[in-house]
Amino acid sequence: MAQGIVKLAPSILSADFAHLGKHVGEAEQAGADRIHVDVMDGHFVPNISMGVPIVESLRRVTRLPLEIHLMITDPDLFLDAFTEAGSDAFLVHWEGNNNLHRTVQRVKALGKRVGVVINPASPASALEEILQDVDQVLVMTVNPGFGHQRFIHTTLPKIRRVRQMIDEIKRGCDLEVDGGIDATTAPLVVDAGANVLVAGSAILNEREGVMAAMKRLRAAVNQKKT
């Protein structure tokens, strides 16, 4: 099981973009630990989403760290622009990266936190050689590209394996999960070893409001931990 406080990272992919600043402000007031920004180019994943202007706008309305999940081809080409826009951390995929070590080192040279992402079908062993160089690992619990997907339960053993690797190789490295996280699945991934939860529709697409949604998610996690 993950140790310490579980962090929540609302994903703005599920937000109403007409009220994006409002939603992010509510998430900050509700105790969010960071804001997760999904960047898609229509090539790496079959969808197109937000870019540098969105990050610039977010930087003006929140003091929370902005972590940028780069689901794009050639992420190295965009690191400078997103850094200038106010990004605090970058998450880059193991899949399709010609030189992952170079990308990770480039992010570190920019003075930003860096994490590596693995898709549901990618093995935990893919992290073995890069784990010592990163600040966090993100295990996708859905296939990347779209929100509102169902949690893939077969990723739970992999989360446990990654937690074991972190404990053996890089203690203090965050283990983040993304995809289908709600009050039902959050306790499962925390029990498997995750300590950072990305949640989109479970927080920003709830009729009851952001504050109540985050309170319910934290309550589910805390009840399982106790």
Side-chain angles (χ1 to χ4, degrees):
M1 178 180 291
Q3 302 298 316
I5 298 174
V6 174
K7 305 170 187 176
L8 296 184
S11 169
I12 63 171
L13 186 63
S14 298
D16 178 352
F17 275 69
H19 304 284
L20 181 57
K22 177 177 178 289
H23 287 323
V24 170
E26 290 173 346
E28 184 171 0
Q29 292 179 359
D33 297 281
R34 60 185 74 167
I35 299 297
H36 189 87
V37 183
D38 289 304
V39 177
M40 309 177 193
D41 64 359
H43 297 283
F44 187 80
V45 292
N47 196 8
I48 296 174
S49 69
M50 60 214 81
V52 170
I54 294 293
V55 175
E56 291 176 336
S57 298
L58 289 174
R59 187 71 289 160
R60 293 194 293 267
V61 299
T62 184
R63 294 174 293 179
L64 290 175
L66 301 176
E67 67 174 19
I68 315 302
H69 182 181
L70 293 174
M71 289 173 275
I72 62 178
T73 303
D74 295 324
D76 303 60
L77 300 179
F78 299 90
L79 295 175
D80 287 332
F82 277 106
T83 295
E84 293 173 4
S87 304
D88 298 288
F90 292 98
L91 297 163
V92 295
H93 276 258
W94 173 79
E95 301 85 6
N97 194 301
N98 292 325
N99 193 325
L100 182 60
H101 183 267
R102 180 177 60 197
T103 302
V104 167
Q105 295 305 315
R106 174 61 179 151
V107 174
K108 294 174 74 171
L110 290 168
K112 305 302 178 181
R113 284 175 54 86
V114 62
V116 169
V117 189
I118 53 175
N119 286 339
S122 298
S125 59
L127 300 167
E128 186 175 355
E129 300 300 331
I130 197 67
L131 183 57
Q132 60 187 345
D133 295 314
V134 301
D135 302 298
Q136 63 190 84
V137 169
L138 172 58
V139 175
M140 294 298 300
T141 45
V142 299
N143 287 299
F146 297 91
H148 310 285
Q149 296 187 65
R150 291 186 177 181
F151 180 86
I152 300 174
H153 284 265
T154 52
T155 59
L156 287 170
K158 180 163 64 176
I159 296 171
R160 294 189 181 95
R161 289 195 293 272
V162 175
R163 168 51 59 189
Q164 183 178 13
M165 292 173 64
I166 288 174
D167 289 344
E168 293 176 353
I169 300 173
K170 186 70 181 289
R171 285 187 174 273
C173 179
D174 280 335
L175 175 47
E176 189 169 21
V177 293
D178 180 7
I181 301 300
D182 56 24
T184 300
T185 58
L188 301 179
V189 297
V190 170
D191 187 59
N195 71 303
V196 183
L197 311 182
V198 177
S201 56
I203 292 178
L204 296 178
N205 196 33
E206 288 288 331
R207 294 180 180 179
E208 61 185 338
V210 173
M211 184 74 72
M214 286 190 58
K215 183 177 181 180
R216 185 177 72 249
L217 195 57
R218 286 196 185 278
V221 170
N222 292 334
Q223 182 177 10
K224 179 64 177 181
K225 290 172 67 177
T226 56

